[in-house]
Amino acid sequence: MSKEENTYYKDRPSFGRKGPSKLRQQFNRGMTYFLVIVACILVYFAMLRVTAISDTVLKILSILKPVLYGCGIAYLLNPIVRTVDAYLVPVLEKHMKKKEKAKTVSRCAGVILALVVLITIVTTLINMLIPELITSIRNLIFTLPAQINQLVKQMNHIQLDDSAMTTMLKNAMNEASTSLQNWMRTDLLNKVNEVMTHLTVGLYTLVMELFHAVIGVIVSVYILFGKETFINQSKKATYAIFPTERANLLIHIAVKTNEIFGGFIIGKIIDSIIIGILCFIGTSLLNMPYAMLVSVIVGVTNVIPFFGPYIGAIPSAVLIALADPMKGVYFLIFILLLQQFDGNILGPKILGNSTGLSAFWVIVSILLGGGLFGILGMLFGVPAFAVIYYIVKLFLDNQLEKKKLPTESECYNGDSYVDNDGTYFQKKDNMTENEEQKTEENKKEKEE
């Protein structure tokens, strides 16, 4: 898609088109009634078979999971490929006679560079995270029993009186100890078997997901090489199926959706990488245990807006507190300061106003997305809600423009009103009506 086309589709399109003839309107009305009845019948039968339909959809999605992974990987790697094309294609075109060959060579270089970056990041994370995770688990296994024994010894050394509260406390401890012993003798073996079964299933699921991810990387290469073809085919189908005005509107929304999702996701990834590095530097300077593991957890969960930092900070603080309780408290203070820096300085610099949502709508979108779709909903809820918010705003602005009314929300404060003729008025500071504030353009439009 050329720069002129991008500019065209980024301009706000208009809703609606020139009205059809009366005969055409009657025919459309009859077809609308017919389609509504057919849709109601289809919805009725679909509700009767909703379980079978949902199972079929889930099965199809499971089969196409490598393709979905490939689309996601290609979308994340596309900025690298696009940047390489922007710099390399003009250089190659000067030294090559065929422009198509120059574009092919540039695309190959871009895809290879993107794959190298992806493999480097994954390999680095694995090399840093796996040894740290093994060390952390081993330390917990060896230190946790000793810490429990130390706690029991300290409790035994506490001098208690013979009050009723002390008696109740001793009885509660004795019952808890008896219950723990009975549980270890009877239910522990069954629980171990259940854990081993879940672990086996989890390992199998992990291996299958890794296999799907590898296939997804291969699929992403084909997508990156043929992305222009896919875009052209989608655009062609849109113009073939929908009227021109509707097609332009859909393409405009698709361009805006890509702009919102791309700006938010790429910006959030960069922001999280910086926060993870800063967390590692801070925890290393403070000589805290599990610095690498904690930094990776904080960096990964920081991708989730608003609640992400706290989701990562709580288990990390518990992990550090098991080794040194005071350092766990210091870590919470450090994370609080780090997130203040991210929320007020770093985040706005990188993300800017990529979504166009206020803090209230960000919280609503995270809660709604997380409640419906879990972690993925919390991650993609904000840009998805931003797209819906933009579409609603686009529709409302077009409806107001048809009524010759201003589209800015500030124009509808307590000192403004619209009379029964549809004319907008704004009051002066002394609360007297000001007819002259009605714009000259609005007057001409009303006269026409």
Side-chain angles (χ1 to χ4, degrees):
M1 190 178 290
S2 64
K3 293 183 178 180
E4 293 78 5
E5 289 176 328
N6 273 325
T7 304
Y8 176 79
Y9 289 117
K10 284 185 178 181
D11 294 336
R12 185 163 60 87
S14 59
F15 283 77
R17 52 198 178 102
K18 294 182 179 180
S21 63
K22 292 184 178 180
L23 180 61
R24 183 69 176 177
Q25 289 178 356
Q26 293 177 357
F27 176 76
N28 289 340
R29 190 178 297 111
M31 286 298 297
T32 301
Y33 294 151
F34 173 75
L35 292 176
V36 167
I37 295 173
V38 172
C40 292
I41 295 174
L42 292 177
V43 169
Y44 173 75
F45 283 105
M47 292 179 65
L48 294 177
R49 295 169 174 80
V50 63
T51 303
I53 294 174
S54 62
D55 291 341
T56 303
V57 172
L58 292 176
K59 185 176 181 180
I60 293 174
L61 291 177
S62 177
I63 295 172
L64 295 178
K65 188 175 289 186
V67 179
L68 298 178
Y69 281 165
C71 293
I73 295 171
Y75 190 80
L76 294 177
L77 298 181
N78 185 53
I80 301 176
V81 178
R82 189 171 60 243
T83 303
V84 171
D85 285 343
Y87 285 99
L88 195 58
V89 169
V91 176
L92 293 177
E93 286 181 346
K94 295 179 181 178
H95 299 84
M96 293 183 177
K97 296 181 180 180
K98 297 181 179 180
K99 293 184 178 181
E100 293 297 328
K101 187 176 180 181
K103 293 180 180 178
T104 302
V105 173
S106 175
R107 182 57 53 84
C108 290
V111 172
I112 292 173
L113 178 62
L115 292 177
V116 169
V117 171
L118 176 64
I119 294 173
T120 302
I121 293 175
V122 173
T123 305
T124 303
L125 286 176
I126 291 176
N127 290 333
M128 291 190 305
L129 187 59
I130 298 301
E132 185 76 11
L133 184 61
I134 294 174
T135 303
S136 303
I137 295 174
R138 185 182 60 189
N139 291 338
L140 284 177
I141 292 174
F142 285 109
T143 60
L144 189 59
Q147 291 175 349
I148 294 176
N149 291 332
Q150 184 67 24
L151 179 61
V152 172
K153 290 179 180 179
Q154 290 178 357
M155 293 182 66
N156 290 331
H157 284 86
I158 296 176
Q159 297 296 328
L160 298 176
D161 53 18
D162 295 330
S163 63
M165 183 63 68
T166 301
T167 305
M168 292 177 60
L169 181 60
K170 289 181 178 180
N171 293 333
M173 292 179 62
N174 292 331
E175 290 180 2
S177 177
T178 304
S179 299
L180 179 61
Q181 292 177 3
N182 292 332
W183 178 80
M184 293 178 65
R185 293 170 182 171
T186 57
D187 297 335
L188 180 59
L189 185 60
N190 294 331
K191 294 295 182 182
V192 171
N193 291 333
E194 291 180 6
V195 170
M196 293 301 296
T197 302
H198 290 303
L199 182 61
T200 304
V201 175
L203 288 175
Y204 174 76
T205 303
L206 178 61
V207 171
M208 292 302 299
E209 293 298 326
L210 290 176
F211 175 74
H212 291 155
V214 172
I215 301 299
V217 172
I218 299 174
V219 173
S220 68
V221 173
Y222 288 97
I223 294 176
L224 290 172
F225 270 105
K227 59 179 183 176
E228 288 82 4
T229 302
F230 298 139
I231 293 174
N232 296 340
Q233 290 174 346
S234 301
K235 186 176 176 182
K236 172 185 174 182
T238 304
Y239 278 114
I241 296 173
F242 299 98
T244 305
E245 292 81 3
R246 296 287 184 265
N248 286 332
L249 176 63
L250 291 174
I251 295 175
H252 167 78
I253 293 174
V255 171
K256 190 65 179 180
T257 301
N258 176 65
E259 180 182 326
I260 293 174
F261 269 83
F264 177 81
I265 294 175
I266 302 300
K268 201 62 181 172
I269 290 175
I270 296 173
D271 175 67
S272 299
I273 291 173
I274 296 174
I275 290 298
I277 294 173
L278 293 177
C279 182
F280 177 73
I281 295 173
T283 51
S284 299
L285 293 176
L286 295 173
N287 196 24
M288 292 185 180
Y290 317 123
M292 179 61 67
L293 179 62
V294 165
S295 301
V296 172
I297 294 174
V298 170
V300 171
T301 55
N302 191 72
V303 178
I304 300 173
F306 195 80
F307 296 107
Y310 306 103
I311 294 175
I314 293 174
S316 300
V318 172
L319 187 64
I320 294 174
L322 290 175
D324 191 332
M326 287 306 300
K327 286 185 178 180
V329 176
Y330 296 152
F331 174 77
L332 288 177
I333 298 173
F334 169 71
I335 287 296
L336 182 62
L337 296 176
L338 183 62
Q339 293 306 323
Q340 291 299 317
F341 166 75
D342 180 33
N344 297 308
I345 299 175
L346 182 63
K349 289 289 184 182
I350 296 177
L351 295 174
N353 194 22
S354 59
T355 60
L357 296 177
S358 63
F360 171 77
W361 290 118
V362 169
I363 295 175
V364 170
S365 60
I366 294 172
L367 292 175
L368 185 60
L372 294 176
F373 305 104
I375 298 298
L376 288 179
M378 297 180 71
L379 176 59
F380 297 106
V382 174
F385 193 89
V387 173
I388 297 173
Y389 184 90
Y390 176 78
I391 294 173
V392 172
K393 182 178 181 300
L394 185 66
F395 173 76
L396 295 178
D397 288 348
N398 277 274
Q399 293 299 110
L400 290 172
E401 287 177 356
K402 290 180 180 179
K403 298 178 180 180
K404 310 299 187 296
L405 295 174
T407 58
E408 295 78 10
S409 299
E410 293 77 9
C411 296
Y412 296 91
N413 54 26
D415 297 331
S416 64
Y417 69 95
V418 179
D419 64 8
N420 293 332
D421 295 331
T423 305
Y424 171 81
F425 291 95
Q426 178 73 35
K427 292 182 180 180
K428 284 183 177 179
D429 293 337
N430 57 4
M431 302 303 292
T432 59
E433 295 180 2
N434 184 13
E435 288 276 355
E436 296 178 356
Q437 287 188 358
K438 183 171 57 177
T439 61
E440 198 67 31
E441 180 181 355
N442 195 10
K443 289 181 180 179
K444 293 180 181 180
E445 290 175 347
K446 290 292 183 183
E447 291 176 356
E448 294 176 355

